[in-house]
Amino acid sequence: MRFIRFAPGASGRSHTLFAVTRCLPFLVLATVLSIELSPAHTLYTGPLLSPAPALAAVTMGPFGTGGVALLATTVSAITATHNNVWGSEMVYANLLALLVVALASVATSAVRVRRDRELAQIRRIAEVSQNVVLRPLPARIGVVNTASVYLAAERDAQIGGDLYEAMCTRYGVRLIVGDVRGKGLAAVRSAAAVVGAFREAVHYEQDLAEVMHRCAAALAREYELLDRSQLQDPQELEEQFVTVLLAQVSDESLVELINRGHPPPLVMREHKVRALAPARPLPPLGLEEFLSPPPICVETFPFLPGDRLLLHTDGVAEARNHYNEFFPLHRTMETLDGATPGEYLDRLRHALVRHAEGRLADDAAMVLIERATGGARRPFR
């Protein structure tokens, strides 16, 4: 599994900007020193020294900021000695301004470093919490080769409710992909409840519909136990639901699906992509109080050796560029190539990030499986 929070391109630009900003204080000091020790020393450069500690506080800790302030004081002393201006009010005014700015910058830097550490810790906790739901998938599970990727939107410490899992059972390889409406702790708890029920039920329930019922029951229990006082919005619980897709791949050249309001999976055969849309749409989990779902019917589709099936959340298909255009998932899948599911999914991820220009509006999860054994190939009908 690949857990990615920042797009590679955006991260590279951020590192470059950070490096340039960190060099600015030293560039200012070097410029002042060069001017004062040259024939152009008649230029008044004293006020240029005071901003140096403030610039350092943006990228450095309190010790680094203090070092820049000390270096600026040294430069001021060197230039005052070289130009024989000790005793003038201008020199002492510059030193006083430098002292005030230095103290403020060191204090600001200390506060920023402490907040950065707290935010980094929150992000680590968020990623650990997310990994409880999104455990790494092995490269091979039963009769399928697998690959997965999770792209987190750039939302600081917030964590989403995307979920997926794949397990090998006596009934075949069973998979789940889902998306909880909303963010934060309530969404993660809902996702964990659904995934936990799936991990338990897939080994004991022969009927895939019963697995879905177990997931729905676990979500209902979670909603009952959820402390409403912990929610920022009182209506958050009433508006929360989970879209879920269940899939089962057995030794036969078939894939069985149950779709509860989730984006349909895409099957690719010989570089042709088709959506496996449900014949009878079902509402997402958690809306049973408002919508009475019809009896769940497992739908079956051909899934032959070499076929690849992409299960994804809506953050993939709904990713937009600055022209407000959706990511062309079908067309992109048909143009990409990859010897293994891992290589193919990695190229699909790069295409998604390029289209969204490094900024995803929503978290995006993708699971790609490829049937490895059994059956004969035939084209789409």
Side-chain angles (χ1 to χ4, degrees):
M1 181 191 74
R2 300 174 187 269
F3 186 99
I4 302 170
R5 182 166 297 277
F6 297 104
S11 178
R13 290 190 296 270
S14 298
H15 284 304
T16 302
L17 181 61
F18 180 84
V20 171
T21 305
R22 183 163 242 185
C23 293
L24 279 178
F26 303 101
L27 181 62
V28 170
L29 296 179
T31 302
V32 171
L33 190 61
S34 300
I35 293 175
E36 291 292 342
L37 298 181
S38 70
H41 64 84
T42 54
L43 295 175
Y44 183 44
T45 60
L48 295 178
L49 294 174
S50 298
L55 291 173
V58 176
T59 58
M60 299 181 186
F63 292 105
T65 304
V68 171
L70 182 60
L71 187 59
T73 304
T74 303
V75 170
S76 180
I78 292 175
T79 57
T81 302
H82 179 75
N83 296 318
N84 296 318
V85 292
W86 283 110
S88 66
E89 294 181 357
M90 188 178 299
V91 172
Y92 295 115
N94 290 338
L95 289 175
L96 180 60
L98 181 58
L99 177 62
V100 172
V101 173
L103 292 176
S105 300
V106 169
T108 301
S109 176
V111 172
R112 181 187 59 79
V113 168
R114 184 173 70 251
R115 289 181 177 177
D116 287 348
R117 288 175 179 172
E118 291 175 353
L119 181 57
Q121 183 178 8
I122 292 173
R123 284 175 173 168
R124 286 194 296 268
I125 294 173
E127 293 187 4
V128 170
S129 301
Q130 193 80 359
N131 283 326
V132 171
V133 180
L134 305 179
R135 294 191 303 194
L137 297 183
R140 178 71 181 263
I141 304 177
V143 296
V144 298
N145 300 317
T146 65
S148 61
V149 64
Y150 176 76
L151 292 166
E154 299 178 83
R155 296 187 179 180
D156 295 329
Q158 290 189 350
I159 47 182
D162 287 5
L163 61 98
Y164 62 77
E165 180 63 285
M167 306 193 75
C168 186
T169 72
R170 53 183 170 173
Y171 311 111
V173 178
R174 288 178 163 179
L175 305 97
I176 185 174
V177 173
D179 189 359
V180 182
R181 183 203 176 279
K183 299 289 178 183
L185 180 60
V188 174
R189 289 183 57 174
S190 298
V194 173
V195 170
F198 171 83
R199 291 169 178 164
E200 179 71 16
V202 289
H203 294 289
Y204 301 102
E205 299 292 349
Q206 181 176 359
D207 189 352
L208 196 62
E210 289 301 319
V211 177
M212 183 66 80
H213 289 318
R214 293 275 291 271
C215 293
L219 182 64
R221 290 193 297 270
E222 177 59 33
Y223 285 170
E224 292 176 358
L225 295 174
L226 190 61
D227 186 358
R228 295 174 183 266
S229 64
Q230 297 179 355
L231 302 179
Q232 296 180 353
D233 186 352
Q235 295 184 345
E236 182 178 345
L237 182 59
E238 286 74 9
E239 298 175 354
Q240 198 167 56
F241 57 85
V242 185
T243 64
V244 174
L245 174 69
L246 291 184
Q248 176 175 297
V249 181
S250 59
D251 292 335
E252 300 179 0
S253 297
L254 300 170
V255 58
E256 299 176 52
L257 300 175
I258 299 178
N259 193 331
R260 293 288 301 266
H262 199 76
L266 303 176
V267 63
M268 185 175 67
R269 183 179 304 152
E270 298 176 351
H271 292 282
K272 295 182 180 180
V273 175
R274 185 182 69 178
L276 304 183
R280 293 192 306 169
L282 298 171
L285 302 183
L287 297 182
E288 291 81 3
E289 181 180 352
F290 309 100
L291 297 173
S292 298
I296 294 178
C297 180
V298 179
E299 300 187 55
T300 303
F301 301 90
F303 189 52
L304 309 178
D307 287 358
R308 288 176 174 175
L309 186 68
L310 178 71
L311 297 82
H312 61 91
T313 58
D314 57 8
V316 178
E318 295 180 0
R320 306 189 189 204
N321 58 17
H322 69 280
Y323 297 111
N324 209 30
E325 298 171 335
F326 289 111
F327 178 57
L329 182 56
H330 284 69
R331 185 169 69 250
T332 303
M333 288 183 64
E334 292 179 343
T335 58
L336 294 178
D337 197 7
T340 66
E343 294 177 359
Y344 182 87
L345 196 59
D346 192 56
R347 293 172 184 175
L348 183 59
R349 174 181 66 85
H350 280 292
L352 174 62
V353 171
R354 283 196 305 269
H355 177 83
E357 299 168 352
R359 290 185 175 274
L360 294 174
D362 192 10
D363 299 340
M366 294 183 285
V367 175
L368 183 69
I369 61 173
E370 177 187 63
R371 175 174 280 282
T373 60
R377 299 184 63 84
R378 66 172 180 268
F380 282 136
R381 295 180 179 179

